[in-house]
Amino acid sequence: KNEVEQSPQNLTAQEGEFITINCSYSVGISALHWLQQHPGGGIVSLFMLSSGKKKHGRLIATINIQEKHSSLHITASHPRDSAVYICAVRRGGSNYKLTFGKGTLLTVNP
Amino acid sequence: GAVVSQHPSRVICKSGTSVKIECRSLDFQATTMFWYRQFPKQSLMLMATSNEGSKATYEQGVEKDKFLINHASLTLSTLTVTSAHPEDSSFYICSAEGNPNTEAFFGQGTRLTVV
């Protein structure tokens, strides 16, 4: 079983829909990252969370440390949101490496 | 957010030659840089962790003599793929961090094709 599990693997939505992508992890962490990878390959860091909730524009990320679960929400989705969304966790302790989920491919149709 | 510049974005090389990929942090000092490889439709696979002024730490199964990493300054790390083979064709991407356990900033990635 992977340390970081994302669901769904693929998601197709119509423009304007509310999107939720889930991430569960099985190890103790110091932080959880949500990343966005566009078709060209470049990766953008969306959020780094260690507790609670963060909001940036139409994006909202939440984390429940006790349940080892995080969600990324996109409100009023737009075709330009189409990308792969990746959840990554950084373990607690002195290990600085990120462990990545397999990603969720989001396609938003106009 | 901080900017990490990776160059080149695409490179095609012949088998047996070496290719150097640069990763620069443009507006912060990167004490740690990470090099990843990504196969189509797969997640990022960590190749090595590079700390400024010290030898890189390679992940299990990654050949250190084939993938040479140099992190000579706080703003530049390089990955050299030596004696490239077609199976080295892949997408390589770096990330840079200023302090431990902080936000990760990624380069644009390099698509390497070995012919």
Side-chain angles (χ1 to χ4, degrees), chain B residues 19-34:
Chain B
V19 174
K20 181 185 283 189
I21 302 169
E22 291 188 349
C23 182
R24 293 182 184 272
S25 58
L26 297 185
D27 52 0
F28 70 103
Q29 294 184 324
T31 52
T32 305
M33 288 189 175
F34 299 89

Side-chain angles (χ1 to χ4, degrees), chain B residues 61-99:
Chain B
V62 177
E63 298 175 59
K64 62 179 69 175
D65 294 330
K66 180 165 187 61
F67 298 100
L68 299 179
I69 290 172
N70 183 282
H71 192 163
S73 78
L74 284 170
T75 58
L76 174 64
S77 177
T78 60
L79 167 67
T80 302
V81 183
T82 62
S83 189
H85 286 275
E87 55 263 33
D88 299 325
S89 298
S90 192
F91 186 72
Y92 295 87
I93 191 164
C94 68
S95 74
E97 298 178 13
N99 294 312

Side-chain angles (χ1 to χ4, degrees), chain A residues 44-65:
Chain A
V44 174
S45 176
L46 299 175
F47 294 104
M48 185 179 77
L49 291 163
S50 55
S51 65
K53 175 179 172 179
K54 285 190 177 181
K55 184 175 189 293
H56 181 74
R58 295 181 294 108
L59 302 178
I60 303 167
T62 63
I63 188 169
N64 184 317
I65 297 293

Side-chain angles (χ1 to χ4, degrees), chain A residues 41-43, chain B residues 6 34-36 44 91-95 106-110:
Chain A
I43 293 176
Chain B
Q6 187 173 339
F34 299 89
W35 286 97
Y36 300 93
L44 299 170
F91 186 72
Y92 295 87
I93 191 164
C94 68
S95 74
F106 290 82
Q108 302 94 322
T110 298

